[in-house]
Amino acid sequence: MPPFHPLFMCFVILLFHVVFACITQGHVPFQTFDAPTSTQPTGSGFYAQKSMHRALGIAARSFSTTASRCAKPTPSKAHLAVTPLQENLPKGFVVTGVAAGVKKKEGVLDLALILSKQPNTSAAACFTRNAFQAAPVIVCQDVLQQTSGRANALIVNSGCANAVTGKQGLKDAWEMVSSTDSLLSKVMSNDSTPKGSHSSLVMSTGVIGQNLPIAKILSAVRDLAPDSLDSTPEKWESAAQAFMTTDTFPKLRARTFELSGKEVRIAGIDKGAGMIHPDMGPASPAPGLHATLLGVIATDAAISPPVLQEALTYAVNRSFNSISIDGDMSTNDTVVVFANGASGMPEIDDIHSPEFHKFQQELTAFAADLAQLVVRDGEGATKFVTVNVRGALTYEDAHQVASKISTSALVKTALYGEDANWGRVLAATGSTHLSAPITPNTVSVSFIPTDGSEILPLLKNGEPEKVDEDRAKVILQKEDLEIRVDLGMGNEQASYWTCDFSHEYVTINGDYRS
């Protein structure tokens, strides 16, 4: 038997050392992330064996410098899945999540329905400003315009975005609306069923450019018995699970607050882990303007449609429009809010009233909590980073700078590497076009630890500080971190929430469709 070629033996030895080094640091180079099924516990790790071809690729990249550069394992997100208390769930809503067969894996929940049983439910929404608005986005805008902001139901599918699907995509979206209208008429009493125009909204998320398996969706809706929808925490959880694509846990929250002397309840579901950099606004009179951000908020507060839209637009600008995972805006981004008045409070119809301002602040804080869950579940993310920009002339200026920093690939890779390379933060800041030029000698940059310990200054009034690199490393090793930039120009501030870029992000998005 001839001896092995020396080059082959070198390769075998190299591969052994790489695999050994990665495993001793907690990284398993022959495994990669896969999506959960409905039968697996929420938040647990979902891994599947991949080909040796990929394993060799990861091993080779890991060996590029030293064993210490092996990819870090993504932190578990299981603790972020929360079951809401029954008393926090809004009155008058029934929901469910079912497996319609949109996704490839059998039995996975992929169709959610949320229905308000109260007549004249107010609805408002903010939609992606992407020029390639998906069919569900266009249909939702049409429904809200036809009904002047009244809608009682929402149907959501995951596994297929129904985006860039032409006339067939629009037809499918309208059929989903009509089928949900029919279900709504069964759930509500005949005398309270909305008459005339459509009463349902629609959302889709998943792969772009593929048509929906519409027959499966319509069949699933037809087969639903009215009493299969309910208001229990378990039903809300099933609906949240049906929203998921590359998400690792269902994003569901609920709480109560007082408004106009009544206890008001609010619940919300959102989804998203990649293709996240939303820029959403209200429906335009003439619509012409991949994973996706979708969100729905339901409350039993009583708010008139135009006032509800005003509150939602304000809240979205300070929550969902202030997050970024990878800087990519989706074709499907949509956030909808329903207010059905089942709490018994008097309707708020004046944007100058104290009740409106309280509701707007409560909605904004709630939306921010939901939005931050998306960032924490960012594909491959190991860090949750708050970018706070203050000392700006306007809120818009502060928001633009925070966005620029949050989308910088150099900043995000430095965060993953736990490298206190604050020059990248400064470079991103200086490249932003604002209402007035930045004055370099008034800018300060700091790291803010999340454990309450002393702030670490990096730059003060344009002058670099002597940085304790060891302490900076300790701060950056934490999962949570705040980067604070003070422009020293005014009194306005804004925050953005972002994450790092990891090896796992590339792995997930390198074969998203497979």
Side-chain angles (χ1 to χ4, degrees):
M1 181 176 181
F4 290 113
H5 194 281
L7 288 177
F8 175 77
M9 293 301 298
C10 287
F11 175 76
V12 171
I13 293 170
L14 179 151
L15 179 60
F16 171 80
H17 282 293
V18 169
V19 172
F20 177 78
C22 288
I23 291 175
T24 57
Q25 295 194 29
H27 173 56
V28 185
F30 297 155
Q31 291 184 329
T32 187
F33 177 85
D34 198 4
T37 68
S38 59
T39 60
Q40 292 174 302
T42 299
S44 62
F46 306 102
Y47 293 90
Q49 189 70 31
K50 294 291 184 179
S51 66
M52 182 61 70
H53 170 75
R54 176 174 295 160
L56 293 175
I58 294 174
R61 290 192 296 274
S62 298
F63 196 75
S64 60
T65 50
T66 64
S68 65
R69 291 192 179 274
C70 288
K72 296 180 296 184
T74 302
S76 171
K77 314 293 174 65
H79 63 287
L80 296 172
V82 176
T83 301
L85 299 174
Q86 180 69 62
E87 57 264 32
N88 290 344
L89 294 171
K91 296 179 179 179
F93 288 93
V94 291
V95 306
T96 195
V98 299
V102 181
K103 292 179 179 175
K104 295 177 182 178
K105 291 187 178 179
E106 186 177 353
V108 176
L109 302 180
D110 53 18
L111 191 68
L113 291 111
I114 300 170
L115 278 65
S116 168
K117 299 171 72 173
Q118 299 292 116
N120 297 317
T121 295
S122 297
C126 288
F127 303 100
T128 182
R129 293 188 175 104
N130 194 305
F132 290 95
Q133 288 184 333
V137 172
I138 295 170
V139 168
C140 277
Q141 292 185 67
D142 283 352
V143 171
L144 289 174
Q145 288 162 22
Q146 292 171 14
T147 63
S148 299
R150 300 286 183 183
N152 279 68
L154 173 68
I155 181 170
V156 183
N157 79 269
S158 57
C160 178
N162 192 14
V164 199
T165 46
K167 294 178 181 178
Q168 184 61 47
L170 286 169
K171 181 176 181 291
D172 291 345
W174 279 116
E175 288 191 336
M176 289 176 69
V177 165
S178 296
S179 67
T180 309
D181 286 343
S182 297
L183 177 63
L184 182 65
S185 67
K186 299 175 185 176
V187 171
M188 299 178 70
S189 59
N190 289 333
D191 58 348
S192 62
T193 304
K195 302 297 191 297
S197 58
H198 292 288
S199 302
S200 304
L201 304 177
V202 58
M203 294 179 182
S204 297
T205 179
V207 179
I208 293 171
Q210 296 183 3
N211 288 115
L212 289 167
I214 191 62
K216 292 181 178 180
I217 293 174
L218 299 181
S219 175
V221 177
R222 279 195 302 269
D223 291 345
L224 278 174
D227 59 3
S228 65
L229 288 84
D230 207 341
S231 58
T232 64
E234 292 74 22
K235 285 294 185 178
W236 277 92
E237 283 187 313
S238 72
Q241 290 170 14
F243 272 63
M244 295 167 61
T245 51
T246 57
D247 307 67
T248 64
F249 66 93
K251 300 169 178 63
L252 169 63
R253 292 293 185 267
R255 66 177 63 158
T256 63
F257 59 96
E258 188 175 302
L259 196 61
S260 298
K262 295 285 188 178
E263 185 179 58
V264 170
R265 288 148 289 272
I266 189 169
I269 297 170
D270 64 353
K271 62 82 51 190
M275 195 180 280
I276 301 296
H277 186 79
D279 180 19
M280 294 180 283
S284 58
L289 293 174
H290 288 96
T292 297
L293 186 142
L294 298 183
V296 57
I297 297 172
T299 178
D300 53 20
I303 319 284
S304 69
V307 171
L308 185 62
Q309 183 65 63
E310 183 82 16
L312 180 64
T313 302
Y314 179 93
V316 164
N317 283 336
R318 288 157 180 79
S319 57
F320 294 104
N321 280 358
S322 295
I323 63 173
S324 186
I325 289 176
D326 44 27
D328 284 317
M329 184 200 309
S330 172
T331 55
N332 293 57
D333 290 338
T334 305
V335 174
V336 172
V337 60
F338 295 99
N340 69 5
S343 63
M345 63 167 285
E347 185 177 76
I348 298 173
D349 60 1
D350 180 5
I351 63 172
H352 303 294
S353 67
E355 290 82 4
F356 168 75
H357 289 292
K358 182 173 183 180
F359 175 76
Q360 181 173 257
Q361 292 305 316
E362 291 285 353
L363 181 63
T364 300
F366 187 69
D369 286 349
L370 287 173
Q372 289 172 38
L373 292 177
V374 173
V375 177
R376 289 191 179 278
D377 199 23
E379 291 170 347
T382 70
K383 308 288 181 191
F384 175 81
V385 184
T386 300
V387 179
N388 177 259
V389 177
R390 52 185 60 189
L393 289 176
T394 66
Y395 170 81
E396 290 73 22
D397 282 352
H399 196 258
Q400 284 186 55
V401 173
S403 173
K404 192 76 171 182
I405 295 168
S406 298
T407 55
S408 166
L410 290 177
V411 170
K412 292 162 80 69
T413 51
L415 290 168
Y416 176 70
E418 298 169 354
D419 177 13
N421 194 338
W422 56 266
R424 294 180 176 182
V425 174
L426 203 63
T429 300
S431 66
T432 311
H433 299 290
L434 306 180
S435 60
I438 291 175
T439 307
N441 61 10
T442 66
V443 177
S444 300
V445 180
S446 304
F447 284 163
I448 314 298
T450 56
D451 59 5
S453 60
E454 190 177 352
I455 293 173
L456 180 64
L458 305 169
L459 181 79
K460 191 170 183 178
N461 293 327
E463 293 290 335
E465 296 285 290
K466 184 175 176 57
V467 178
D468 183 341
E469 293 289 346
D470 290 337
R471 181 156 184 267
K473 186 74 173 177
V474 170
I475 293 172
L476 288 167
Q477 284 174 342
K478 303 291 185 182
E479 187 174 341
D480 286 23
L481 164 72
E482 179 181 333
I483 299 173
R484 181 176 295 171
V485 177
D486 191 332
L487 299 178
M489 299 170 66
N491 299 314
E492 295 294 327
Q493 65 174 307
S495 291
Y496 236 82
W497 298 283
T498 190
C499 58
D500 55 349
F501 267 156
S502 69
H503 296 276
E504 187 68 18
Y505 176 85
V506 178
T507 300
I508 292 169
N509 285 282
D511 63 353
Y512 180 75
R513 298 195 304 165
S514 62

